[in-house]
Amino acid sequence: MIRMETVETVISRSVRLLCAGGVAALATAALAQPALAQDGNMQRVEITGSSIKRASAETASPIQVIGRDELLKSGKSSVADFLQTLTADGAGSLPTGFGNGFAAGSTAISLRGLGATSTLVLLNGRRMAPFARADDGQKSFTDLSSVPMQIVERIEILKDGASSTYGADAIAGVVNIILRKDFEGSMLKADSGVSGDGDARQHKASLSVGKGNLERDNYNLVVNAEYSKSDMLFNKDRAGRDWIGKGDLRAYGYPIGTQFASGYINGNNDATAGPAGSIRNPATLDYVSLPGCAGLSASAPPDPKGGCLWHHDQFRAMQPKIESVNLYGRGTWQLHPDTQLYTELGYSKRDTSFQMIPPTITPTVAFPSSAANPAGVINYASGAGTAMLLAANHPQNPYGVPVRVRYTAFDVGASTRSANNEFSRFVAGAKGKLGDWDYDAAYVHSESKLHLDYSNMLNLNVVRDALGNPASQYFPYYLGAQAGRNPASLYAAMARSLRSDSTTKLDIVDAKASRELFALPGGMLGLAVGAEHRREKLDNPSLDGTRDGSVNSNYVAAKGDSKVSALFIEVAAPLVNTLELSAALRYDKYQNFSSSTPKLGAKWTPLKTFALRGTYAEGFRAPGPAESGAESQSTGAAPTVDPVRCPNGKTPLPGATSTDCNITINAVKLGNPNLRPETSKGYTLGLVWDVLKDTSLSLDAWKIKRIDEINPLPYNEAAALPSAIRADNNLSIGGVVAPNTGTLLLARAPYRNSSFTEIKGVDLDLKQRLRLGEYGRASVGLTWTHIASWLRAESATVRYQFAGTHGNCDTSNCAGTPKNKINLVASWDRADWNVTGTLNYRSDLKNTKYQGAKCATVLADGGDAPPGCALASFTTLDLSTRWNYSKALQLFASVSNATDKVAPLDALTYGGLSYNPMDASGAIGRYFKLGASYRFN
C-alpha cells in the first residue's frame, strides 16, 4: 500500500518541476521496443491524437485506454456513467440527474473541469453533431447518451489536447469512443436494476449481430440495437435519507430562506411565493398570507412570520424518466488487399421527462429588446406598471384597493420538462494502401434534433387580467385554498405548454495519409498529412411565447452557420533507439479568422523499463453560435452574493436577510459578434516505469493555460452594476431610503473574452498484477488526479482560485473543484468467475466560491455552514461479479454504493437538492443490478 504522504510529495515535486519550466516538449509514452516499426510483419495501429500508424500503442502523449472488459467489470450501464467516474472528469460535467439545466436529457464529460465545450468527443475517430441545445445557453457539446454501450470496443482518452490533429475544441483533451468493427455471431444481453429502496428501476436489453470475417470472407457486417428504460425518482422518495432531497434544512441549523424553500415572508416589503398566496397590506406594506396553508403544504414548523412555507422536494424529481433506443450498424468490405470500403449508420432516440415545481405568477423574465420594451425585461413582482395586482374588488382582497400578490400556482400543477432527442449519423469512407501511403478518407453527416415541451407554464397576460381586471372574462382567479372555485376555461387559457424544436447539423469531408519516408538511427521517419472541410449549422429557437415576456420562461435561443477548412501535417522521428521526437501542425480557416496550432513531443527510453515523456501543444476554440450569434440570447441562474444587501458576503444589512448573502438570480447573456477565439497552451512532463515485472506506474504533471476565455461577466460582478434589476423593497440606511437597494432579481452578464484560465495538476496511474497460481490472478489499479491550481483571471487585477473550493458556479453546475480524485480498482479472476471492487474518492471542498471568499452558506445563527465551512470528502464502493456459466451464457451482478454511503450535505449546489449532483450515487443509495448475456454462435 502506498502511503498518502509519499504520493503527495511526488505530486508536489512534479508540479514544481513543471511550473519551473521543465522541458516543454518531452513526450510520451512508454515502453515500446525501439524501431519495431521496421518489422514488416508487425501490425501497425493508429492511436488517438496521432495520424501516424505505429507498431506500438504508445505515443508521445499520456493516453488512458479503457477496454471492453474494464467497462463490463465496472457495472455501469452507460458510457456517460462510466466516464463521469474518471478522475480526469471535473466541473461542467453533465450528469443524468441534472434535469433543471439548459441541456436536460443529455450527458457530457468535462476533462480538467474546463467544461464540456473544451472536451472533444469522437466516435471512431470522427466528430458527431453536438447536442441541439447549448449547456448554460452557451457551451456546445457532444451528448454521450447517443453512444451505444454494448458495442463499445474501447475508449481512448488523450489528456493533453489534440487541436493539431482534430482542430477546435480539444483544449482539455479528447475522448475517442471506438466501436467494434469485427464482431461475428449473435449476442443478446439484458439487465435490470433497482435501488435498495425498491425504486428507480432500470431495464436494458441489447442485441448484437455480426456476420463475415474480413480475412476469410472479405467483408464484415455488424448491427447493434439497444433499448433502455428508467423510472423517474423523486426527491420525496428519499425523505428518510438524512438531508438528501430535502429543501428544508432548518433541522441542520440552516435559516428558513435556503434556495429550495419558498412561501416565507421576509418582512421589509418582501415575500416569496407560496401556495396559499400572500397579499401586501397597503397601510404597512407587509405581506399577509391568505388562509388555507395547512391543506396545501406539509412543511413544518410553519413560517414564524405567517407565510405559507413550502419546499421544492414536494414536487421535484431527483432522476428523470428515460426511454431510449440506440441503433448502430457498420459494414466493411475488403475489395482487395489494398482497398477497404466502410460505412457506418447510427440512430438514437432518447425521451427524457423531469418534473419540476409549479409556476410562480411573479417572475422576472428577459427577452430580446424591442420598441415596445427596449429594456427586454419585465418584472412581474414589483415593476412599475407590470407588477401583478389583486383588484380592489377581488373576493380575496380585504383592503378595497389594488394590492400586490405573491403566489405559487399549485392549482396549475407541477411543470414537467420533456426533452425528446433524436441523433443520426452516416459515414461512408475508404481506406487502404496506395503506393507507400496508408490512406483513409470519408464523408460524415450527423444531425441532432431536439423537441422540448415544458408543461403547466403560464400565460402571464391571462393571469394579470384574471387577478386584476374585473372586466376580464376570467376574473376573478381564486387563489390557494379557494382555487377549486375556478372554472376549467380559466386554466385552459392560463396554463399552457411551451415548445421548441432545435437542430444541429454537421457535414465533414476528410482525408489523411501516412507513410514512412526514410531510415533514421532509431527507426523509420513517419509522416502524415491530411485535410478536412466541415460545415456546422445550429438552429435553436426559444420556447414559443418567450419572445415578448408574456410567459414565465426566459428567452433562450441561438443560431449559427460556420464553415471550416483545414490542413495538417505530422512527423514522428526516432532519432536514436532511445529517443523519438514528434511534431504536428494544423491550419484551420474559418470565415472570420484562421488558426495555426502546433504540437511537439518527445519520448526518451534510456531503459526498456523506464521512459520520460512530455508534450507541448497549442489549441483553440472558436466562439460558438450561442456566444457570438447576433440572434443569440440566454438567461441562466446561479447562486451569488448580493454585494449591495450583503456587502461583506456574510452579514446582511439591516432590513436584508441571510438569503441575500446566497441568492439565486438570473443573468442575461447576449451573443457578442466581436468575441475572439479562445487559445490555449498545454504542457505535460512525465515518466512511465515498469518498477517490477508485474508493477508499473506512470506519473504526468500537466498545465493548461486557456487565453481569451469566453465567459459571461461573473455574477457577483454583474450584480454590482447599476443595470441589475431589483425589487423596490429598498433598504433604509441611516433613516433614509436608499434607491436601488431592493432584492436582487436579475443581472446582465454579457459574454466577453476574459484574461485567462490556468490549471496545473498531476495524474498518477499505478498497476499491480498478482499471480495467484491455482487461485487465479488478480490486479490492483490506482488512478489519481491532483489539481494543484485552478486559476481564472478575469482581468489584470481580478483573479479567482477555484482549486479545493465549491466554485466555479457561474459557468458550471456548481459541482466544485476537488483537489484530489482517486479510483482504486481491485479485480480477481479464478476459473469462470470474476469479482471486481472499485473505490471512488473525491477530496473535501471549502464551501467558498473561490479561495479567500467568505463562506458561501451560513447557519441561522450566522455561523459558517457547514461548521468549519468545509464539505466532507466522499467515497463510494462499487462491487461487481461475473460468472461464465458456459461458453455461451454469462451471468453478472453489481452493487453500486455497496456501503450505502450518504452524500455530504451541500446547500450551495443547485443541481441536486442538498447534495452535490456529482455525488448522485450517495443520494440514490445502494443500487443492485442483475443481468445475463447469451452468445448464440
Side-chain angles (χ1 to χ4, degrees):
M1 180 63 69
I2 294 179
R3 293 175 60 214
M4 183 75 74
E5 305 86 50
T6 303
V7 176
E8 288 281 14
T9 301
V10 173
I11 287 172
S12 177
R13 289 174 180 170
S14 300
V15 171
R16 288 199 300 270
L17 177 61
L18 178 63
C19 299
V23 180
L26 257 188
T28 46
L31 309 172
Q33 295 288 336
L36 279 176
Q38 299 180 70
D39 185 349
N41 297 320
M42 185 68 67
Q43 183 180 6
R44 296 178 299 159
V45 294
E46 185 176 316
I47 303 300
T48 298
S50 174
S51 294
I52 296 176
K53 292 188 174 181
R54 303 162 186 267
S56 167
E58 303 291 356
T59 72
S61 299
I63 299 175
Q64 183 175 357
V65 180
I66 300 152
R68 183 169 70 251
D69 193 54
E70 190 174 347
L71 288 172
L72 293 174
K73 289 178 180 179
S74 73
K76 302 301 180 184
S77 59
S78 71
V79 171
D81 288 345
F82 180 86
L83 290 178
Q84 288 171 351
T85 66
L86 299 181
T87 61
D89 185 41
S93 183
L94 294 177
T96 301
F98 198 25
N100 63 324
F102 281 85
S106 61
T107 53
I109 183 173
S110 169
L111 294 177
R112 310 303 190 197
L114 280 169
T117 193
S118 289
T119 301
L120 179 60
V121 176
L122 306 174
L123 186 64
N124 292 333
R126 289 187 167 93
R127 293 173 180 259
M128 298 183 284
F131 190 70
R133 203 178 201 217
D135 184 37
D136 286 336
Q138 174 192 10
K139 300 183 284 290
S140 179
F141 68 94
T142 301
D143 180 19
L144 294 171
S145 305
S146 60
V147 178
M149 176 77 160
Q150 176 61 29
I151 203 70
V152 172
E153 174 68 26
R154 68 184 185 277
I155 301 172
E156 295 178 351
I157 302 174
L158 180 70
K159 297 182 178 180
D160 67 345
S163 289
S164 59
T165 304
Y166 301 114
D169 309 330
I171 286 175
V174 179
V175 177
N176 187 11
I177 303 167
I178 300 167
L179 306 185
R180 300 189 69 174
K181 303 179 177 69
D182 58 353
F183 182 74
E184 291 183 76
S186 301
M187 178 179 287
L188 179 65
K189 182 180 179 182
D191 59 66
S192 185
V194 64
S195 78
D197 290 279
D199 52 19
R201 295 181 182 274
Q202 297 180 0
H203 309 286
K204 187 172 186 178
S206 65
L207 175 65
S208 302
V209 179
K211 185 176 182 181
N213 182 283
L214 277 177
E215 294 184 2
R216 181 186 67 239
D217 305 316
N218 293 325
Y219 80 93
N220 177 257
L221 298 174
V222 179
V223 176
N224 179 78
E226 290 185 3
Y227 171 80
S228 65
K229 186 176 182 180
S230 303
D231 292 344
M232 191 180 299
L233 178 67
F234 292 89
N235 284 284
K236 61 187 177 183
D237 295 332
R238 292 295 177 268
R241 191 172 174 80
D242 294 340
W243 47 78
I244 297 298
K246 289 182 171 60
D248 188 357
L249 297 178
R250 289 175 294 172
Y252 307 98
Y254 286 79
I256 192 172
T258 48
Q259 64 174 316
F260 300 115
S262 192
Y264 55 90
I265 293 174
N266 278 326
N268 188 36
N269 184 19
D270 189 28
T272 55
S278 296
I279 58 176
R280 191 171 72 163
N281 184 329
T284 65
L285 300 185
D286 289 329
Y287 279 85
V288 178
S289 183
L290 297 174
C293 181
L296 298 166
S297 173
S299 294
D303 175 16
K305 295 183 179 179
C308 185
L309 179 66
W310 69 284
H311 294 89
H312 291 196
D313 47 297
Q314 188 169 341
F315 297 95
R316 187 170 142 173
M318 175 182 287
Q319 294 286 313
K321 177 182 178 182
I322 304 172
E323 187 170 12
S324 67
V325 174
N326 260 313
L327 303 175
Y328 172 77
R330 180 182 171 96
T332 310
W333 296 269
Q334 194 73 42
L335 297 187
H336 56 74
D338 291 337
T339 305
Q340 184 183 101
L341 302 180
Y342 59 89
T343 186
E344 297 176 24
L345 292 171
Y347 173 81
S348 112
K349 188 175 189 299
R350 181 178 169 95
D351 297 340
T352 306
S353 180
F354 193 93
Q355 183 170 296
M356 297 294 291
I357 60 175
T360 174
I361 66 170
T362 50
T364 300
V365 293
F367 49 92
S369 59
S370 63
N373 192 318
V377 175
I378 296 179
N379 173 10
Y380 286 98
S382 57
T386 60
M388 287 286 178
L389 300 176
L390 209 63
N393 61 339
H394 189 287
Q396 292 174 289
N397 182 358
Y399 299 114
V401 295
V403 295
R404 289 185 186 175
V405 60
R406 300 286 186 266
Y407 183 55
T408 300
F410 278 25
D411 51 316
V412 171
S415 176
T416 298
R417 295 185 177 182
S418 298
N420 303 326
N421 185 50
E422 290 186 75
F423 173 82
S424 59
R425 184 172 182 265
F426 168 73
V427 181
K431 61 189 299 184
K433 201 168 182 64
L434 188 62
D436 293 328
W437 291 88
D438 292 315
Y439 71 88
D440 188 352
Y443 165 72
V444 181
H445 175 76
S446 185
E447 290 189 23
S448 179
K449 298 179 180 179
L450 176 67
H451 175 73
L452 295 178
D453 189 328
Y454 290 11
S455 72
N456 286 344
M457 305 297 279
L458 294 179
N459 183 328
L460 294 170
N461 290 330
V462 172
V463 176
R464 179 189 283 115
D465 279 354
L467 290 173
N469 180 9
S472 170
Q473 61 179 314
Y474 304 115
F475 183 86
Y477 173 20
Y478 289 94
L479 305 181
Q482 297 192 40
R485 302 174 63 180
N486 296 319
S489 58
L490 169 63
Y491 293 106
M494 180 175 64
R496 56 172 300 184
S497 290
L498 307 184
R499 301 181 177 92
S500 72
D501 289 282
S502 300
T503 59
T504 57
K505 295 182 180 180
L506 174 66
D507 289 277
I508 305 173
V509 177
D510 66 38
K512 59 185 177 183
S514 64
R515 61 165 296 176
E516 294 173 340
L517 286 180
F518 51 81
L520 294 172
M524 298 297 292
L525 177 70
L527 170 70
V529 295
E532 177 186 299
H533 179 77
R534 70 178 185 269
R535 182 175 185 179
E536 301 179 39
K537 291 184 176 181
L538 168 67
D539 184 10
N540 174 202
S542 187
L543 295 166
D544 47 19
T546 58
R547 179 168 284 277
D548 61 0
S550 62
V551 295
N552 61 317
S553 182
N554 294 296
Y555 182 88
V556 177
K559 190 170 185 178
D561 186 345
S562 65
K563 297 178 182 178
V564 187
S565 297
L567 299 171
F568 73 87
I569 184 171
E570 179 186 0
V571 294
L575 297 184
V576 294
N577 285 346
T578 58
L579 179 62
E580 178 182 289
L581 303 181
S582 59
L585 178 66
R586 181 181 176 106
Y587 174 77
D588 287 87
K589 180 67 175 73
Y590 284 72
Q591 290 160 291
N592 299 321
F593 67 91
S594 60
S595 175
S596 296
T597 48
K599 184 171 184 177
L600 302 173
K603 176 182 66 179
W604 180 41
T605 313
L607 302 171
K608 289 184 178 181
T609 58
F610 181 82
L612 293 176
R613 63 186 182 185
T615 59
Y616 167 77
E618 295 184 9
F620 79 102
R621 184 180 75 85
E627 297 161 321
S628 62
E631 301 178 51
S632 300
Q633 177 175 328
S634 67
T635 301
T640 191
V641 173
D642 185 338
V644 173
R645 297 171 68 89
C646 187
N648 70 355
K650 185 176 181 179
T651 307
L653 293 177
T657 70
S658 59
T659 304
D660 295 305
C661 300
N662 184 39
I663 186 170
T664 297
I665 65 162
N666 287 328
V668 181
K669 297 168 280 188
L670 299 175
N672 180 358
N674 299 317
L675 290 173
R676 299 181 300 277
E678 297 178 344
T679 60
S680 70
K681 294 181 179 181
Y683 309 81
T684 66
L685 177 64
L687 60 87
V688 180
W689 184 18
D690 280 352
V691 183
L692 299 170
K693 181 179 180 181
D694 292 318
T695 307
S696 62
L697 71 84
S698 65
L699 178 68
D700 293 279
W702 48 269
K703 179 171 75 172
I704 300 172
K705 186 172 184 178
R706 185 166 61 181
I707 305 160
D708 281 340
E709 185 173 355
I710 301 170
N711 289 312
L713 184 70
Y715 283 19
N716 62 313
E717 296 181 32
L721 298 177
S723 59
I725 305 298
R726 295 178 174 274
D728 61 359
N729 57 326
N730 293 314
L731 300 176
S732 293
I733 301 176
V736 179
V737 175
N740 208 29
T741 58
T743 300
L744 184 62
L745 301 175
L746 182 144
R748 301 180 189 278
Y751 292 120
R752 64 177 188 176
N753 290 102
S754 57
S755 186
F756 66 85
T757 289
E758 184 179 82
I759 310 112
K760 305 172 189 176
V762 168
D763 291 331
L764 174 67
D765 193 347
L766 292 172
K767 287 186 173 61
Q768 176 67 56
R769 292 166 291 278
L770 303 172
R771 305 173 193 271
L772 305 176
E774 62 179 302
Y775 295 102
R777 64 188 188 278
S779 64
V780 179
L782 181 145
T783 305
W784 187 337
T785 294
H786 172 74
I787 304 294
S789 175
W790 211 112
L791 177 70
R792 169 167 293 163
E794 292 291 343
S795 65
T797 57
V798 180
R799 298 189 173 197
Y800 301 101
Q801 174 61 257
F802 295 122
T805 75
H806 213 311
N808 173 16
C809 286
D810 290 341
T811 55
S812 78
N813 51 17
C814 204
T817 308
K819 284 191 173 183
N820 296 290
K821 293 182 70 175
I822 297 175
N823 295 143
L824 178 63
V825 182
S827 184
W828 176 44
D829 291 271
R830 185 182 184 189
D832 295 321
W833 285 88
N834 169 267
V835 178
T836 299
T838 303
L839 275 174
N840 304 292
Y841 166 84
R842 68 147 179 84
S843 58
D844 59 354
L845 295 168
K846 293 181 180 178
N847 193 30
T848 60
K849 294 179 182 176
Y850 52 88
Q851 288 282 6
K854 298 288 185 179
C855 197
T857 53
V858 295
L859 299 173
D861 63 6
D864 290 344
C869 197
L871 304 178
S873 63
F874 185 57
T875 304
T876 57
L877 171 65
D878 299 335
L879 299 174
S880 69
T881 186
R882 190 174 65 211
W883 178 35
N884 296 321
Y885 175 80
S886 67
K887 289 184 177 180
L889 178 63
Q890 184 180 90
L891 305 175
F892 51 89
S894 66
V895 185
S896 298
N897 192 5
T899 61
D900 203 26
K901 188 74 174 291
V902 177
L905 172 60
D906 188 340
L908 178 61
T909 183
Y910 51 89
L913 262 69
S914 305
Y915 67 91
N916 195 303
M918 304 311 294
D919 296 342
S921 63
I924 296 169
R926 189 181 288 118
Y927 197 88
F928 302 91
K929 190 165 70 173
L930 293 172
S933 64
Y934 187 84
R935 185 153 187 163
F936 293 94
N937 50 29

